[in-house]
Amino acid sequence: MSWQVHLPALLLAVPLLGAFLAPLTALGGKGLRNTWFVLVSAAFTMIAFLLWTRVGSTGTAIYVMGGQGWNLALPSGMSIPVRILMEVDAFSAFMVLLSAVAALAGALFSIGFMDRFSGLEKFVALYFLMVTGMFGMEITGDFFNFFVFLEISSVASFGLVAFWRDRGEALEAAFKYMLVSTLGALMVLVAVAFLYSKYNVVNMATLGKVIEWGMVEKTALVLFLTALAMKCGAVPMHMWMPDAYAEAPAGVTCALIAVSQASLYGLFRVTYTIFGAFMGSPVIPWVIIVLGVLSMFIGVSMAVIQKEVGRLIAYHSVSQVGYMLLGFGVGLLALSDARAMAEYGFTALKGGIYHIVNYTMYKGLLFLSAGALYYATGCRNLNDMGGLGRKMPKTMVLFMIAAAAIAGLPPFNGFVSKLYLYESTFAVHPILAVFAMVTSVLTLASFVKIFQTAFLGPALKKFENVREVPGTMLIGMSVLGVAILALSLFPTWSVNHLVEPAAKALVDQASYIGAVFAASLTGGGL
Amino acid sequence: MTGNFPYLVVGILFVMGFIGIVFEKNLVKIAIAVSVVEAATNLFIITLGYRSGGSIPVWTMAGSGSSRMVLPTPQALTLTAIVIGLATTALMLSFAMSIYRHYGSLDVRDVRRLRG
């Protein structure tokens, strides 16, 4: 038995320890605090990577807290798991890995970016708390803990969005975000209570095993769908997203993207693993598809008219989330039909999952480079910028990589995931593919606009003293830049090793459920 | 015997809180409305665990005499939810306070610099 069985617990313990020790390390001065910030971030990224490789080689990992043994999911004489259970299947491990990379990049970037400000020990503590909550949402095996981790990551991120509290706008954005998030979390709790009222369990695997299709389940599903779609910024409730993303410090936004992806993860855990094929009617899949198409289109059309760099990029987040919802919705539609699944459903799912990793990487990089522009010039408005390519060539190159990836230009990773989505959604209805393509074109248009306005053109006199941003910020950006290039250069590898296991795990409801109940047979002893 | 009366109260509280969030203009009143929704949620979970005539879910050495207890899990869940609720309410009120300092108003119609 190797120490690696404890990886799921370490994944939560390390950032939590990082959070509570951050104020202490700050007593030792700036250097010690920054070292701690980097060290803990590197540690949880390493743990996430090890967990991912472990789940890839030995299958779904189970971890029980508060029981007699780490692998004793079912205490003797019980037919349902009653402990705090963590369950990491390939899809969870995939989400954990990419969230960790985004959080690492955000942390590295923040060191240089936040250097001018005070109160950074609180910043570091909140950052790690947010990361803990995000990991918790992705690996937890029961719904109540999902709610708890959702609240941990949300409350920490409210504080981070409002970090620049000398700006009224930041507080306004944080309040909006808080209202939407709190209401969403309470709806999740009510949904959990509904399921509990009928089955007396909150464990995901057990629920997936015993669930039937009735009024209580429909209510719970609608509540889950509404709440988690709100949290990940799908269209009717998207207005918090541009505000919060644009007002938060750039390094935080990079991690916030991963947090919103964790909500998306929750949504798909509920729909695929709990309800799965029980959901006979196509209503819910179509609701998800329509939400996706609306998010794509409305998000991008709002983005085109923005003048602030941060808000423009943030509106693109709304439209990119739409792509993922579209892919997962189409996959869900085909879930109960084996032939449709083989024909287009699985491709759509792969496209959706691939888009999650691509989106997290390039969107994180876009926000970081917008942050770099703000750091160097002090302005947010595109109309005030110009000719910065001469002064900040490295930032420009990194921005170009991210912009080409999000617009889906052929050699880049965004193109591959979008191609999957076009192919598969075309099989359901051509109009879906048309919407996806139009969105892609508009995306390209708006990024050409940023690129042309901010980086090209004659050098402006007021930017004479602008310098390239400091090294740590460039390193943070390069982490994501390298990830994008790697995903672009090895598309076959990333589809086979990153995306497909995750997609298979998501549709394989039986193995997620079986892993918990098998753990009772193998894990009898201490 | 309480019947379905608690659920009725939960429903009314939830709708009242929701209406408050949507229609109130004052940030502090919105925070209060969020608390009302929170209270409704907590009451809902507690009610789910209630068994009429049940005793408190604590094993003592002396024995409670009755084998009928209310469910302990919802109570544990509610305790956690109350603590989380306290944290969010406190943070929300402090945001409202700081917003008042910057905008000189608590009216949502005045706190609108971010738009479009």
Side-chain angles (χ1 to χ4, degrees):
Chain A
M1 192 163 69
S2 80
W3 65 276
Q4 291 208 345
V5 297
H6 299 296
L7 282 174
L10 281 176
L11 186 68
L12 298 183
V14 167
L16 204 57
L17 183 78
F20 288 113
L21 287 189
L24 274 184
T25 57
L27 294 178
K30 203 170 100 179
L32 189 63
R33 185 196 64 218
N34 286 345
T35 319
W36 182 249
F37 199 12
V38 175
L39 213 65
V40 175
S41 308
F44 67 63
T45 313
M46 199 63 215
I47 293 172
F49 179 74
L50 286 175
L51 186 62
W52 176 72
T53 46
R54 183 175 167 81
V55 169
S57 62
T58 59
T60 308
I62 294 281
Y63 198 86
V64 183
M65 280 188 175
Q68 291 123 327
W70 61 268
N71 56 359
L72 190 62
L74 292 178
S76 45
M78 299 271 184
S79 56
I80 52 166
V82 292
R83 307 288 185 205
I84 296 173
L85 186 79
M86 280 170 232
E87 178 161 14
V88 192
D89 70 348
F91 184 49
S92 314
F94 162 82
M95 292 298 297
V96 164
L97 181 63
L98 70 94
S99 323
V101 172
L104 173 70
L108 288 171
F109 185 85
S110 295
I111 288 176
F113 187 65
M114 301 301 290
D115 202 38
R116 307 164 177 173
F117 303 98
S118 62
L120 286 187
E121 68 279 5
K122 292 161 199 120
F123 177 85
V124 176
L126 283 177
Y127 193 89
F128 284 143
L129 273 183
M130 179 169 80
V131 169
T132 313
M134 170 177 81
F135 285 151
M137 282 163 82
E138 287 161 356
I139 66 172
T140 181
D142 75 65
F143 272 123
F144 187 70
N145 283 340
F146 183 78
F147 163 75
V148 172
F149 284 121
L150 179 72
E151 282 286 23
I152 292 176
S153 71
S154 306
V155 173
S157 57
F158 306 150
L160 287 171
V161 170
F163 191 75
W164 284 330
R165 65 194 169 87
D166 53 318
R167 277 173 58 82
E169 288 88 347
L171 289 165
E172 185 186 336
F175 198 90
K176 269 188 206 172
Y177 174 40
M178 181 164 202
L179 208 55
V180 172
S181 277
T182 312
L183 204 56
L186 286 173
M187 280 159 87
V188 168
L189 189 59
V190 172
V192 173
F194 266 110
L195 289 178
Y196 184 84
S197 72
K198 184 154 178 187
Y199 300 104
N200 278 337
V201 282
V202 287
N203 184 278
M204 290 183 188
T206 319
L207 272 175
K209 195 177 169 194
V210 297
I211 207 151
E212 292 156 2
W213 189 233
M215 202 55 217
V216 173
E217 291 79 2
K218 278 181 197 165
T219 317
L221 181 59
V222 168
L223 283 169
F224 269 127
L225 185 64
T226 319
L228 294 170
M230 249 156 86
K231 275 286 292 171
C232 69
V235 131
M237 295 299 282
H238 66 287
M239 66 290 185
W240 65 268
M241 210 166 176
D243 297 352
Y245 281 12
E247 291 304 325
V252 172
T253 310
C254 183
L256 264 184
I257 288 167
V259 171
S260 76
Q261 298 305 295
S263 299
L264 204 62
Y265 162 84
L267 181 56
F268 298 122
R269 191 49 90 201
V270 171
T271 44
Y272 280 82
T273 306
I274 309 305
F275 289 94
F278 286 107
M279 207 156 40
S281 84
V283 176
I284 293 291
W286 273 106
V287 167
I288 296 181
I289 292 174
V290 169
L291 280 182
V293 171
L294 284 179
S295 306
M296 272 186 336
F297 197 69
I298 296 179
V300 84
S301 18
M302 290 299 287
V304 172
I305 57 172
Q306 296 300 317
K307 291 188 190 67
E308 246 180 56
V309 187
R311 287 182 79 79
L312 195 157
I313 301 176
Y315 268 111
H316 278 292
S317 293
V318 178
S319 91
Q320 297 294 314
V321 166
Y323 275 103
M324 293 161 221
L325 288 173
L326 177 63
F328 281 105
V330 170
L332 202 58
L333 192 63
L335 195 60
S336 51
D337 182 353
R339 202 176 60 85
M341 197 66 196
E343 254 174 35
Y344 58 85
F346 197 65
T347 317
L349 200 54
K350 275 200 293 192
I353 289 180
Y354 202 8
H355 211 71
I356 287 185
V357 51
N358 293 344
Y359 162 75
T360 312
M361 298 301 133
Y362 56 61
K363 185 57 70 149
L365 184 50
L366 284 172
F367 274 115
L368 292 187
S369 36
L373 284 179
Y374 174 64
Y375 180 89
T377 64
C379 47
R380 293 161 178 257
N381 198 322
L382 269 178
N383 294 344
D384 300 338
M385 294 183 190
L388 289 167
R390 292 159 220 272
K391 302 285 187 187
M392 307 166 68
K394 292 173 190 144
T395 309
M396 182 176 78
V397 170
L398 286 163
F399 180 85
M400 258 170 74
I401 293 174
I406 192 178
L409 293 186
F412 285 95
N413 55 359
F415 172 71
V416 184
S417 54
K418 282 184 182 175
L419 191 65
Y420 276 133
L421 288 172
Y422 297 152
E423 272 180 12
S424 53
T425 51
F426 191 81
V428 177
H429 200 292
I431 195 84
L432 299 177
V434 170
F435 266 111
M437 283 181 195
V438 170
T439 305
S440 193
V441 171
L442 289 175
T443 307
L444 182 61
S446 58
F447 280 100
V448 168
K449 173 173 136 185
I450 299 188
F451 186 68
Q452 199 260 346
T453 336
F455 291 106
L456 302 185
L460 296 184
K461 196 151 181 66
K462 60 179 169 180
F463 293 139
E464 248 171 23
N465 298 323
V466 167
R467 291 280 163 274
E468 184 63 274
V469 291
T472 48
M473 289 168 73
L474 283 175
I475 295 173
M477 286 152 78
S478 312
V479 169
L480 296 176
V482 168
I484 293 171
L485 286 181
L487 287 168
S488 310
L489 291 177
F490 307 105
T492 326
W493 182 89
S494 35
V495 167
N496 288 343
H497 291 83
L498 268 176
V499 176
E500 265 203 22
K504 276 187 188 139
L506 193 55
V507 292
D508 194 356
Q509 195 188 9
S511 86
Y512 188 86
I513 296 168
V516 167
F517 288 93
S520 65
L521 304 176
T522 55
L526 288 178
Chain B
M1 194 59 218
T2 47
N4 285 334
F5 184 66
Y7 295 111
L8 193 66
V9 175
V10 166
I12 292 172
L13 274 181
F14 201 92
V15 172
M16 269 169 58
F18 203 81
I19 290 175
I21 292 173
V22 177
F23 292 107
E24 278 300 336
K25 300 290 180 217
N26 188 307
L27 290 181
V28 175
K29 286 186 184 166
I30 290 177
I32 294 174
V34 171
S35 297
V36 171
V37 175
E38 237 164 55
T41 313
N42 290 337
L43 190 60
F44 180 50
I45 306 176
I46 280 291
T47 314
L48 289 176
Y50 184 71
R51 299 288 175 265
S52 56
S55 62
I56 52 166
V58 179
W59 289 105
T60 54
M61 295 302 279
S64 56
S66 155
S67 59
R68 198 174 168 80
M69 289 179 180
V70 300
L71 295 183
T73 321
Q75 304 202 347
L77 303 191
T78 312
L79 268 182
T80 319
I82 288 173
V83 173
I84 293 173
L86 180 75
T88 43
T89 310
L91 193 57
M92 197 173 261
L93 287 175
S94 72
F95 279 168
M97 213 171 69
S98 308
I99 286 176
Y100 183 76
R101 276 192 201 138
H102 283 282
Y103 291 79
S105 163
L106 281 173
D107 195 313
V108 284
R109 284 163 298 194
D110 298 333
V111 186
R112 295 206 63 174
R113 279 188 215 156
L114 297 166
R115 57 197 318 178

